[in-house]
Amino acid sequence: MGRAEMVVGPSEKAVAVVAYHLNDAINWWDDVNRSLDWQNRIFHVLAVLYGVVAVVALVQLIRIQMRVPEYGWTTQKVFHFLNFFVNGVRSLVFTFRRDVQKLHPEIVQHIMLDMPSLAFFTTYALLVLFWAEIYYQARAVSTDGLRPSFFTINGVVYAIQIILWLIMWWKPIRVLVILSKMFFAGVSLFAALGFLLYGGRLFLMLQRFPVESRGRRKKLQEVGYVTTICFSCFLIRCVMMCFNAFDKAADLDVLDHPILNLIYYLLVEILPSSLVLFILRKLPPKRGITQYHPIH
């Protein structure tokens, strides 16, 4: 009988220990998700983090205005204002997250949660526009069509999303929610490819500049870091939106997924915004030619 007895080896014990800890972690995740206290804590942490980023963007906007008050709304000023707006609205939404979930009709909840995402797209599409202008100007190619294209693309994106919201208000069915989330996944992928295309082109162009060019290395690092950060955050958003659309366990628009909300918004908005604001913190020169580079 002793020979027939199965001997449990070290590998089986290790697997059992891993399975036990994994099960424990899953139980912890579920406990936190179901806990009202933890939900409130995580939403308030997100509200504070968004609030900090909004304040940083506002302070930087004020510093830029004080540095060059003679210029109007430059790309740099608009970029920082939009960052302040997006993060400020997100901070308010997460401060009153439980109240937002009670809003009726339900379409108002979707608007409150999705509108900052659209504004975030516009904010960082502005960077793509700026880089595209620099790239084409350096190659002596006309940039007259870039700004109209920027406004047209944003107009089409907002128009389609508003139409989807109106249809969802009229007939709130699951397929329309999925369609809305997949549309935004497509928008995020489009933004990621925009950063890859124009950030990559600008990076390669700067690499060809003479080594002794003033500020070449710093500008290369700036473009490389920002391109990597923004491409990654929009790609993660695209993938996550696809899961969000079809998997209820990945739903971000509910109260009982606070950990998922924390991870998602940290990766796709808070960290990218913080890093980009830090990288682009340099103030414009006090005096110079009328058309200075608005984002340094």
Side-chain angles (χ1 to χ4, degrees):
M1 183 172 175
R3 287 187 179 183
E5 232 175 44
M6 183 174 287
V7 178
V8 178
S11 59
E12 285 83 359
K13 286 182 180 178
V15 170
V17 170
V18 170
Y20 173 78
H21 286 298
L22 184 61
N23 186 59
D24 198 41
I26 292 170
N27 290 336
W28 173 84
W29 180 287
D30 290 338
D31 289 343
V32 171
N33 280 339
R34 285 194 294 262
S35 168
L36 293 180
D37 288 337
W38 272 108
Q39 289 174 15
N40 291 333
R41 284 171 195 158
I42 290 174
F43 291 143
H44 289 154
V45 165
L46 283 169
V48 169
L49 292 174
Y50 273 114
V52 169
V53 178
V55 169
V56 169
L58 180 61
V59 168
Q60 186 68 350
L61 174 61
I62 293 169
R63 289 178 69 213
I64 296 166
Q65 178 59 28
M66 292 175 67
R67 183 72 172 260
V68 283
E70 63 272 19
Y71 295 112
W73 280 96
T74 63
T75 307
Q76 191 180 28
K77 291 179 184 177
V78 174
F79 176 77
H80 282 86
F81 172 76
L82 286 174
N83 262 295
F84 163 70
F85 173 76
V86 170
N87 288 283
V89 171
R90 281 279 193 223
S91 180
L92 288 173
V93 167
F94 279 111
T95 300
F96 303 102
R97 184 65 184 84
R98 204 165 291 281
D99 295 318
V100 169
Q101 200 70 19
K102 297 174 184 175
L103 292 173
H104 289 286
E106 190 178 333
I107 189 61
V108 180
Q109 299 174 27
H110 289 290
I111 294 172
M112 292 294 291
L113 294 170
D114 294 344
M115 183 56 80
S117 298
L118 287 175
F120 186 87
F121 164 76
T122 300
T123 304
Y124 286 85
L126 199 61
L127 266 184
V128 177
L129 169 67
F130 176 70
W131 285 351
E133 287 179 334
I134 291 177
Y135 176 77
Y136 287 122
Q137 284 170 2
R139 296 175 64 87
V141 177
S142 174
T143 60
D144 293 345
L146 288 178
R147 286 184 181 264
S149 298
F150 169 79
F151 289 116
T152 301
I153 290 168
N154 275 273
V156 169
V157 167
Y158 280 79
I160 292 174
Q161 186 60 71
I162 289 169
I163 290 168
L164 286 171
W165 283 335
L166 290 173
I167 297 172
M168 286 163 64
W169 183 23
W170 171 62
K171 197 168 186 180
I173 55 176
R174 174 68 183 165
V175 68
L176 289 172
V177 177
I178 293 173
L179 187 62
S180 178
K181 290 177 179 179
M182 289 306 297
F183 168 70
F184 200 74
V187 169
S188 300
L189 181 61
F190 179 74
L193 293 176
F195 273 103
L196 193 62
L197 177 64
Y198 286 107
R201 283 180 170 183
L202 190 57
F203 184 84
L204 293 174
M205 185 183 74
L206 288 168
Q207 272 191 324
R208 291 194 291 269
F209 280 16
V211 178
E212 64 275 9
S213 295
R214 187 166 172 254
R216 172 185 174 274
R217 184 180 174 185
K218 189 172 182 181
K219 188 61 68 176
L220 262 174
Q221 289 178 339
E222 176 187 301
V223 173
Y225 289 151
V226 173
T227 298
T228 304
I229 292 165
C230 294
F231 171 76
S232 300
C233 90
F234 279 106
L235 190 62
I236 291 169
R237 187 190 285 270
C238 171
V239 173
M240 193 60 206
M241 279 291 107
C242 293
F243 281 108
N244 186 16
F246 297 104
D247 188 353
K248 287 188 176 181
D251 194 352
L252 294 160
D253 299 338
V254 293
L255 294 174
D256 56 357
H257 289 160
I259 305 174
L260 189 63
N261 271 262
L262 180 65
I263 295 169
Y264 173 76
Y265 286 109
L266 272 175
L267 289 178
V268 304
E269 288 187 3
I270 295 170
L271 280 176
S273 295
S274 304
L275 291 170
V276 171
L277 285 172
F278 176 75
I279 294 167
L280 303 179
R281 67 192 182 280
K282 186 180 175 184
L283 294 174
K286 285 187 177 179
R287 298 182 187 279
I289 57 173
T290 303
Q291 214 173 15
Y292 72 88
H293 290 336
I295 292 183
H296 291 271

